[in-house]
Amino acid sequence: MSVRLQETTFAGGTEGVLAALSSDGAVIVHGMIAPDVLEQFRADMERVAQERQLGTVVSQAPLRDFWGERTMRFTRLGSRSEAFFEILDHPGFRDVADELLLPYCKSYWLNTAQMMILAPGQSEQELHRDSENWWHITSPDGPELTVSCMFAIGEFTEENGATRVVPGSHRWDDYERALGDGDDVIQAAMPAGSGMLYTGKVIHGGGANRTTDVWRWGLHISFVLGWLAPEEASPLGVPWELVRDRSEHIQR
């Protein structure tokens, strides 16, 4: 297990990324979003955020806590920003998803694409595994169900809530070590335009935003096996005319 997340790029292909995912379950990949795409997407998201509120309207307290009372979340990103499709169609991210998911399915699809914007004062999120959305079939020795990337739309720092992650926990049977003294938990600090790729089995959670005036702008994109139901109903949230002329990967 690494004492900190490995950092790499896709410049030499996916070999280094896949090796880090195999050993640690997560890896920081620099330069995933081109500067012009990042600028346009950030501007589009800031415009949408002006009309949104923090927190959620669900009545169950555990869900309110998990989603964050001082976290802004919204989806349907394909209908909100053309730049989103440039991020979604990243060839390296696609190749990693192919490698991890296609052994278990004929095709995969978008699970969710969600802005996760942490306001100052947001507390740490509960540590969890994304694969537990499908709790009845997930296990450390079972198939990979989902693969994700948390993109830094603004700089991620330890102070503003960089994602907490437990390297190597994708091979653990339970949460005991992560929920103990916390020595295994690190934060994925990274510059804007970078992404933290991670498997559905690695233990992670949003960090605490301890600043007084800095918002943490994050974009979560995840793919899921084609025979599982996704979190987000993308065919309902993104009109077909927006993807009619785009790549097969985007359409799927």
Side-chain angles (χ1 to χ4, degrees):
M1 183 190 74
S2 300
V3 294
R4 57 174 294 167
L5 281 187
Q6 298 179 55
E7 301 182 33
T8 186
T9 71
F10 278 118
T14 60
E15 183 176 349
V17 173
L18 290 169
L21 287 173
S22 177
S23 65
D24 293 350
V27 58
I28 293 174
V29 183
H30 293 288
M32 289 191 69
I33 307 178
D36 59 331
V37 175
L38 179 64
E39 181 180 8
Q40 183 59 60
F41 183 73
R42 173 68 181 256
D44 292 338
M45 295 302 98
E46 288 181 349
R47 184 183 65 254
V48 175
Q50 291 178 358
E51 303 173 354
R52 309 291 297 188
Q53 295 182 342
L54 295 174
T56 176
V57 297
V58 298
S59 58
Q60 299 95 329
L63 280 179
R64 291 201 309 271
D65 292 341
F66 184 81
W67 287 335
E69 296 278 10
R70 293 193 55 75
T71 295
M72 182 184 297
R73 296 171 181 260
F74 51 86
T75 57
R76 296 175 49 228
L77 303 185
S79 64
R80 303 182 191 275
S81 174
E82 186 171 336
F84 166 73
F85 295 114
E86 298 297 320
I87 302 173
L88 179 63
D89 210 19
H90 189 285
F93 188 16
R94 183 173 66 243
D95 289 346
V96 167
D98 286 353
E99 184 73 21
L100 296 182
L101 299 180
L102 289 183
Y104 308 108
C105 62
K106 292 182 178 180
S107 66
Y108 55 85
W109 54 350
L110 183 66
N111 177 48
T112 186
Q114 185 175 151
M115 285 301 296
M116 299 178 178
I117 309 170
L118 274 58
Q122 173 61 54
S123 58
E124 291 181 342
Q125 186 185 40
E126 177 184 349
L127 293 172
H128 62 283
R129 289 184 168 112
D130 287 349
S131 63
E132 291 182 339
N133 285 329
W134 307 274
W135 58 269
H136 54 299
I137 57 173
T138 186
S139 71
D141 299 327
E144 195 65 71
L145 305 180
T146 181
V147 59
S148 304
C149 186
M150 174 61 80
F151 292 93
I153 306 306
E155 184 182 13
F156 274 34
T157 68
E158 294 185 3
E159 291 74 26
N160 72 12
T163 305
R164 298 182 300 149
V165 63
V166 184
S169 60
H170 60 311
R171 301 184 185 278
W172 296 1
D173 290 331
D174 53 41
Y175 296 112
E176 289 301 321
R177 288 165 61 187
L179 298 180
D181 56 22
D183 287 345
D184 294 309
V185 182
I186 62 175
Q187 285 188 266
M190 54 184 173
S194 301
M196 185 190 81
L197 271 74
Y198 61 101
T199 77
K201 299 177 185 179
V202 78
I203 296 173
H204 69 287
N209 189 334
R210 301 188 297 273
T211 72
T212 59
D213 58 355
V214 178
W215 293 55
R216 194 215 73 177
W217 291 75
L219 162 64
H220 167 91
I221 296 179
S222 56
F223 299 120
V224 65
L225 298 180
W227 46 270
L228 289 172
E231 296 179 62
E232 182 181 353
S234 296
L236 301 181
V238 181
W240 176 247
E241 50 266 28
L242 292 181
V243 298
R244 186 187 307 277
D245 299 323
R246 298 191 179 275
S247 70
E248 179 183 354
H249 176 71
I250 291 295
Q251 293 175 348
R252 184 171 68 245

